[in-house]
Amino acid sequence: MSDFWRGRKVFITGHTGFKGSWLALALAGQGAVLFGYALRPHTVPSLYHLTEVGRVLTDRHGDVRNLHDLQEAFLQFEPEVVFHLAAQPLVRRSYADPVYTFDTNVMGTVNLLESVRRVSSVRAVVVATTDKVYENQEWIWGYRENERLGGKDPYSASKACSELAVRAYTESYFPMERYPVHGVAVATARAGNIIGGGDWSEDRLVPECLQALEADRESVLRNPLATRPWQHVLAPVEGYMRLAELLYKNGPAYGGAWNFGPDDRDVQSVGDVANRLARLWGSNAAISVPEQPSPGWPEARALKLDSSKAAVRLGWRPRWDLDTSLRKTVEWHKAYLQGENIAELCRRQIAEYEEERAK
C-alpha cells in the first residue's frame, strides 16, 4: 500500500454512484481526506447508502452542470487531486434523454475543468470517460489510445466530446511547456463494462441477471452474442489511483488518454457471462432472448481495449480475471441478501484485491 494518499486532499465528483462509492472507500482506506460532490443516488438500494460513504468524506450534493456551485465547492475545499466520475452513464437512457446526457457529460466536464482552472491547489486531475469513446469499427483487436474518437449513440458521442474538452483545456490552460507555472497535470481514463457488488443500475447485464436469479425468474438478454471487456470495479479504481499518483509526482509526462481494460481472454459474450453467473449462483435459471430486439436502440456487437500503455507505463493490470470477478460479485450480492455489514464487506474485498496485487 502506498503512503501517497495519507492526508492527501482529494475531490471526487460522482461519489454517490457505483464506481464512485468504491473509489471513495478505497481512498479513505489509504488515509485520504475526501470531498464528494454529486447528485443523490439514482437507485434504491444504493452502494452509497449501504456503505455510508457520507461518513468517510465531506458530503455535498450538487449538480456538475451548476458551474457556480461547483466552483464554490472547489474554493471551499482546495483539493490537490481531482477525480471526475459524475456522468449520465447509461447508453439506452441517452437515447431517451440526449440533451441531459450531453449537458451532464460535456458541460459537466467543462465546468469541472473550469473549476480546476480557478483553484491553485490542484496538481492532478483524472477524468473518467469510457471504452465507448472510440469510433467503433467492430474490430476483433483492441482500440489504442491514439485511435479515432467517435460515438453512434448520444452517450458515446457525449463522452468523446468530453475527451475533446479535456484536450482543449489541457492545451490551452495546462500545456506541458508551462507546467512549472500552472502545475496541473490532466489525464482521461477510458474503462467500461465494470462489474461488482452494489450496482443496481438499469439496463446493465450483471445487475439485471442478479435480480432475476434472486427472484428465481428467467434472465432476458437483448444481445447475447455481443462481446464486451468485463472487469471488476476495483481494477479501474486501482488504475485511476495509480494514474493520479503519477500525475501528481511526475506531471504532464503521464497526461493524455489511458485505457483500462481486461486481458483478451476476459472479453466475452453477454450470453457467456449470464450463464457463468447462473452457475455461480447455483441455479438452472432459464435465459431467454426476445424474438425481436427493441427497435431504434442499436448497440455495438464487439468492443475491446488495448491496455498495453497502462501495463507498461503504470505497471497496471486487472488482478482478478473474469471468473474471479463474477464470483466476488455473486458473493457480495448473497452477503447483502443475508444482511451482512456492507461497508465491512466492501473493505474486505478491497483488502483481498490489494493482497492479490501484492503477489
Side-chain angles (χ1 to χ4, degrees), residues 55-70:
R55 292 180 177 270
V56 303
L57 44 67
T58 300
D59 197 0
R60 180 160 173 167
H61 294 297
D63 193 327
V64 292
R65 297 178 298 166
N66 186 332
L67 175 59
H68 175 76
D69 190 58
L70 185 59

Side-chain angles (χ1 to χ4, degrees), residues 147-164:
E147 304 280 3
R148 184 173 177 175
L149 300 179
K152 296 180 181 179
D153 58 85
Y155 168 73
S156 302
S158 72
K159 284 296 193 175
C161 288
S162 72
E163 290 268 356
L164 293 176

Side-chain angles (χ1 to χ4, degrees), residues 35 45 56-57 106 114 150 160 190 198 228 270 278 334 337 349:
F35 189 108
V56 303
L57 44 67
V106 182
E114 188 66 13
R190 301 167 179 175
R228 296 291 185 267
V270 166
K334 287 190 172 184
L337 293 176
Q349 289 201 341

Side-chain angles (χ1 to χ4, degrees), residues 219-261:
S219 299
V220 180
L221 308 182
R222 294 190 305 271
N223 197 356
L225 298 181
T227 59
R228 296 291 185 267
W230 311 95
Q231 61 185 329
H232 194 274
V233 62
L234 289 175
V237 162
E238 180 204 355
Y240 298 170
M241 291 172 62
R242 178 64 174 154
L243 176 57
E245 180 177 346
L246 289 170
L247 285 168
Y248 188 98
K249 292 177 176 178
N250 300 289
Y254 285 87
W258 296 82
N259 286 342
F260 294 100

Side-chain angles (χ1 to χ4, degrees), residues 10-316:
V10 180
F11 194 107
I12 307 173
T13 70
H15 69 287
T16 59
F18 166 56
K19 185 162 51 175
S21 292
W22 278 102
L23 175 62
L25 292 170
L27 285 165
Q30 295 201 24
V33 179
L34 305 175
F35 189 108
Y37 186 95
L39 297 173
R40 297 183 185 278
H42 65 276
T43 65
V44 178
S46 73
L47 185 62
Y48 164 81
H49 282 131
L50 290 171
T51 57
E52 298 183 314
V53 167
R55 292 180 177 270
V56 303
L57 44 67
T58 300
D59 197 0
R60 180 160 173 167
H61 294 297
D63 193 327
V64 292
R65 297 178 298 166
N66 186 332
L67 175 59
H68 175 76
D69 190 58
L70 185 59
Q71 285 184 342
E72 187 179 81
F74 265 77
L75 290 168
Q76 172 189 336
F77 186 59
E78 296 184 327
E80 301 169 83
V81 178
V82 177
F83 292 97
H84 180 45
L85 276 68
Q88 192 298 94
L90 302 174
V91 173
R92 285 166 65 86
R93 184 180 175 187
S94 78
Y95 283 114
D97 199 346
V99 173
Y100 174 74
T101 300
F102 277 98
D103 199 10
T104 300
N105 294 352
V106 182
M107 288 310 301
T109 300
V110 169
N111 290 343
L112 183 283
L113 295 166
E114 188 66 13
S115 299
V116 168
R117 191 163 75 91
R118 303 292 182 178
V119 179
S120 61
S121 58
V122 177
R123 293 290 174 266
V125 182
V126 174
V127 176
T129 60
T130 176
D131 55 1
K132 297 172 182 64
V133 298
Y134 296 103
E135 186 177 278
N136 197 336
Q137 304 293 330
E138 307 286 348
W139 289 331
I140 61 172
W141 54 84
Y143 294 92
R144 294 179 178 176
E145 289 86 348
N146 58 357
E147 304 280 3
R148 184 173 177 175
L149 300 179
K152 296 180 181 179
D153 58 85
Y155 168 73
S156 302
S158 72
K159 284 296 193 175
C161 288
S162 72
E163 290 268 356
L164 293 176
V166 172
R167 187 184 305 171
Y169 262 78
T170 300
E171 294 184 1
S172 298
Y173 304 112
F174 314 123
M176 180 178 291
E177 63 271 17
R178 296 186 65 240
Y179 178 67
V181 177
H182 59 72
V184 180
V186 185
T188 59
R190 301 167 179 175
N193 292 96
I194 61 171
I195 61 177
D199 187 7
W200 282 276
S201 299
E202 62 185 4
D203 286 327
R204 284 186 177 161
L205 174 68
V206 172
E208 291 185 353
C209 284
L210 288 175
Q211 291 174 49
L213 290 166
E214 177 186 340
D216 197 25
R217 56 178 170 79
E218 68 178 12
S219 299
V220 180
L221 308 182
R222 294 190 305 271
N223 197 356
L225 298 181
T227 59
R228 296 291 185 267
W230 311 95
Q231 61 185 329
H232 194 274
V233 62
L234 289 175
V237 162
E238 180 204 355
Y240 298 170
M241 291 172 62
R242 178 64 174 154
L243 176 57
E245 180 177 346
L246 289 170
L247 285 168
Y248 188 98
K249 292 177 176 178
N250 300 289
Y254 285 87
W258 296 82
N259 286 342
F260 294 100
D263 295 336
D264 283 357
R265 67 176 180 274
D266 290 333
V267 179
Q268 297 293 333
S269 71
V270 166
D272 178 73
V273 169
N275 281 311
R276 293 193 200 195
L277 278 171
R279 289 195 298 270
L280 287 165
W281 190 269
S283 168
N284 293 316
I287 294 175
S288 68
V289 181
E291 292 185 6
Q292 295 294 329
S294 301
W297 309 121
E299 296 181 76
R301 294 186 299 274
L303 184 59
K304 184 188 294 187
L305 292 180
D306 183 332
S307 301
S308 302
K309 179 181 172 183
V312 172
R313 297 196 60 207
L314 303 182
W316 175 90

